[in-house]
């Protein structure tokens, strides 16, 4: 079959030495069909080629039908291509979704985009152990924001505000949660993105985007791959600038 032949050509097309440096070329990554498909998927997603990412992700799922990572990559490719319904259908398979926090997060995101808040709430709160605190929600602060969105759509105002507060406790730079918490506190309906001149946006920046606090936040350090040495270097640079 032509599609299968193209997929089998992936090891030659996406060898570790032929893709951009840093794209799916981790040490010890599996070789052959599986490793090449993963490199092809990451390359395609990074360069906003979702249809190509879907093609290779489908081959990966065919090779590893029970692999959570393969399903996550295929769902991500469907989301990037705008096919939210197909991503949701893929993630509804309870064999993997309820045990994998990343799949539960993606499932909640798809459900919200399709205006299914009950499903989103269930995806975020179910799992091997039921969520009992903010750290148990998949996605951490981002998951709490999604949970707040689900609670809002279910007309559970107080619980939505609690989710947004917990989200901001974990990640002070979550403007989206700050905006919704402020709107609910003022009992306003959902609004569009705030303008740059919005006083609320200025207050948020003044309170939460101070350079020292922002650059040292644990979540940002983890996303940038910065360890303790990097944090100390940033601190030294700040002190030098202040001098």
């Amino acid at each position: 079959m032509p599609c299968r032949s193209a997929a089998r050509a992936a090891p030659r097309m996406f060898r570790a030495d032929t893709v951009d440096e840093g794209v799916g070329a981790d040490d010890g990554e599996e070789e052959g069909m599986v490793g090449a498909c993963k490199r092809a998927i990451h390359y395609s997603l990074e360069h906003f080629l979702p249809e190509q990412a879907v093609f290779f992700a489908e081959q990966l799922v065919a090779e590893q039908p029970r692999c959570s990572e393969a399903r996550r990559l295929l769902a991500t490719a469907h989301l990037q291509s705008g096919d939210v319904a197909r991503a949701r259908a893929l993630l509804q398979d309870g064999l993997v979704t309820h045990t994998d926090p990343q799949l539960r997060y993606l499932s909640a995101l798809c459900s919200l985009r399709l205006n299914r808040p009950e499903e989103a709430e269930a995806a975020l709160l179910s799992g091997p152990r039921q969520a009992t605190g903010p750290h148990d929600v998949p996605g951490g602060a981002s998951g709490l924001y999604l949970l707040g969105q689900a609670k809002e759509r279910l007309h559970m105002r107080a619980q939505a505000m609690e989710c947004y507060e917990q989200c901001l406790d974990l990640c002070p730079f979550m403007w989206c949660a700050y905006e919704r918490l402020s709107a609910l506190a003022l009992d306003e309906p959902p609004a569009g993105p705030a303008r740059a001149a919005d006083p609320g946006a200025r207050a948020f920046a003044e309170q939460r985007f101070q350079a020292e606090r922002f650059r040292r936040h644990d979540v940002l350090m983890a996303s940038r791959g910065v360890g303790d040495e990097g944090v100390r270097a940033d601190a030294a640079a700040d002190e030098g600038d202040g001098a």
Side-chain angles (χ1 to χ4, degrees):
M1 297 174 64
C3 290
R4 193 66 176 174
S5 299
R8 287 295 179 188
R12 297 191 300 274
M13 297 162 56
F14 288 94
R15 297 194 315 272
D17 59 350
T18 63
V19 297
D20 292 350
E21 183 179 357
V23 179
D26 293 335
D27 293 339
E29 184 179 24
E30 56 268 64
E31 293 302 321
M33 178 69 173
V34 171
C37 276
K38 288 181 181 179
R39 287 191 289 272
I41 295 163
H42 286 296
Y43 177 90
S44 302
L45 291 173
E46 183 174 326
H47 292 84
F48 302 97
L49 302 171
E51 291 80 10
Q52 178 170 283
V54 167
F55 170 77
F56 283 109
E58 286 175 342
Q59 311 311 313
L60 184 61
V61 170
E63 292 287 326
Q64 298 182 316
R66 300 182 67 84
C67 175
S68 295
E69 182 187 8
R71 287 176 177 269
R72 175 178 58 79
L73 289 171
L74 180 54
T76 301
H78 282 315
L79 277 171
Q80 194 178 98
S81 71
D83 197 344
V84 182
R86 184 166 293 183
R88 171 185 168 273
L90 176 72
L91 294 165
Q92 289 301 300
D93 185 354
L95 290 175
V96 293
T97 303
H98 76 284
T99 60
D100 189 293
Q102 290 181 310
L103 294 183
R104 287 165 53 205
Y105 178 88
L106 285 176
S107 180
L109 180 63
C110 292
S111 296
L112 281 174
R113 291 188 180 182
L114 294 171
N115 199 26
R116 297 173 178 263
E118 299 91 346
E119 287 185 4
E121 181 186 37
L124 291 167
L125 295 180
S126 63
R129 62 173 188 173
Q130 191 169 9
T132 57
H135 292 281
D136 295 326
V137 177
S142 298
L144 284 165
Y145 172 72
L146 293 187
L147 185 58
Q149 291 280 282
K151 298 289 190 182
E152 270 200 77
R153 297 186 193 185
L154 293 171
H155 309 290
M156 304 167 73
R157 178 174 175 271
Q159 292 186 31
M161 293 180 70
E162 183 180 1
C163 289
Y164 295 141
E165 289 171 352
Q166 292 175 342
C167 170
L168 288 166
D169 285 342
L170 290 181
C171 290
F173 56 83
M174 290 287 288
W175 160 252
C176 51
Y178 178 84
E179 183 181 34
R180 290 310 310 143
L181 179 61
S182 299
L184 289 174
L186 296 172
D187 201 23
E188 293 180 350
R195 297 185 302 273
D198 189 332
R202 287 200 302 270
F204 179 83
E206 291 171 0
Q207 294 171 9
R208 300 175 184 276
F209 277 78
Q210 299 171 17
E212 182 175 354
R213 183 181 187 187
F214 188 67
R215 294 174 67 181
R216 288 162 178 71
H217 196 271
D218 292 343
V219 174
L220 287 182
M221 293 301 102
S223 67
R224 292 168 54 195
V226 178
D228 292 340
E229 292 298 328
V231 173
R232 284 194 291 269
D234 282 348
D238 286 344
E239 290 173 2
D241 291 341

